[in-house]
Amino acid sequence: MEFTDASALPDFLIRKADVSLEWQGQGFNSNWKDITTDHDILGRATTFSVDSKNTAAWQSLAVNGDFWLAATGLKANQNWNLQKVLLDQLPLLSENVLNGELTKASLNSVGALKITDGLLDGKGVINLVDMVLKMEGTNKFTEGVADTLNQLTSLKMDAGIAGVLDNPDFSLGSDLDKKIRDSMMASAGSEGRKKLDELQKKLGLRAGEEKGEGNAKLGDWSKLQDLADGKSESVEEMSKAKFEGELDKQKNELEDKLRKKLFN
């Protein structure tokens, strides 16, 4: 629908607005056009942009997008670019076998979100750079994991959002599993690498670009703890398990035996 001054106007319409505000010590400047609740009458979406630079929390934040309140539901688009968010002294994990914190890092993120009739579809990338981790393990295996983590200076994560507006589903994945696995394999020797490859297949893990939903989580510490604390008879026995309960039992038994052989 093309809008002209002769067309019927919505009951509520703000053609243009520039708004500046401060929230939790951070300053924001925003520009708005065609603010209304009757977009079907107006014939075009409300557009906006938000800008915040050189604050105590980040170097820059830029958000822009549009939204349309239609009879069938909300339609909206949003893009963001966030640079150099300063992170420090963030606890990451406190477990019996592995614990530590993020001493410092700088976070950058870009992404986009689309809403169509209440359905969400969004993707983004989060990069941690200039990262310093302080991790500690309590046994030989987790000490190796901690050493690997402490050497990391950057980490890339892929974020996703889906589902419905009032009950969204969030996902977060990274290559952390692969980095830890590669470090373990490098220290295990050729025979150890063969065993770890075999174990990886039996447990259904993916160390390459393709990751299962259960493995696409930053710091899947539960798997690391299973590897440190589980028990097993042999890799071959894992392939014989045909039921979920038996598989879980043999997996725990297998992991401990393999851990002892490779790392003790």
Side-chain angles (χ1 to χ4, degrees), residues 26-29 50-62 83:
Q26 319 304 326
F28 298 86
N29 297 315
V50 179
D51 182 72
S52 178
K53 293 182 179 179
N54 299 321
T55 73
W58 53 71
Q59 183 180 81
S60 65
L61 169 65
Q83 297 297 312

Side-chain angles (χ1 to χ4, degrees), residues 84-202:
K84 292 190 176 181
V85 179
L86 301 180
L87 306 176
D88 61 81
Q89 304 299 319
L90 296 179
L92 293 180
L93 187 68
S94 180
E95 299 288 346
N96 293 331
V97 294
L98 186 66
N99 60 80
E101 68 176 17
L102 174 67
T103 302
K104 69 174 184 177
S106 181
L107 183 151
N108 304 318
S109 178
V110 296
L113 172 64
K114 182 178 182 180
I115 304 174
T116 304
D117 298 335
L119 298 178
L120 303 172
D121 182 16
K123 294 181 180 179
V125 175
I126 301 171
N127 283 310
L128 294 178
V129 298
D130 301 326
M131 183 174 66
V132 177
L133 294 173
K134 185 180 180 181
M135 307 297 297
E136 295 180 349
T138 59
N139 57 41
K140 191 169 184 179
F141 176 79
T142 55
E143 285 175 357
V145 173
D147 288 342
T148 299
L149 294 174
N150 290 335
Q151 294 176 32
L152 298 180
T153 59
S154 64
L155 184 66
K156 179 182 177 182
M157 293 171 280
D158 296 313
I161 181 172
V164 295
L165 189 60
D166 59 352
N167 187 27
D169 296 321
F170 297 96
S171 63
L172 189 65
S174 79
D175 59 352
L176 183 57
D177 287 345
K178 181 179 184 299
K179 290 182 177 179
I180 293 175
R181 178 181 180 275
D182 288 347
S183 178
M184 291 193 304
M185 291 178 64
S187 63
S190 59
E191 183 64 23
R193 286 195 293 271
K194 181 179 179 181
K195 293 290 186 180
L196 283 173
D197 278 335
E198 196 168 355
L199 173 64
Q200 186 97 344
K201 294 177 182 178
K202 300 302 180 183

Side-chain angles (χ1 to χ4, degrees), residues 66-79:
D66 60 72
F67 64 88
W68 185 306
L69 298 173
T72 56
L74 173 65
K75 298 179 181 180
N77 298 279
Q78 178 179 294
N79 298 279

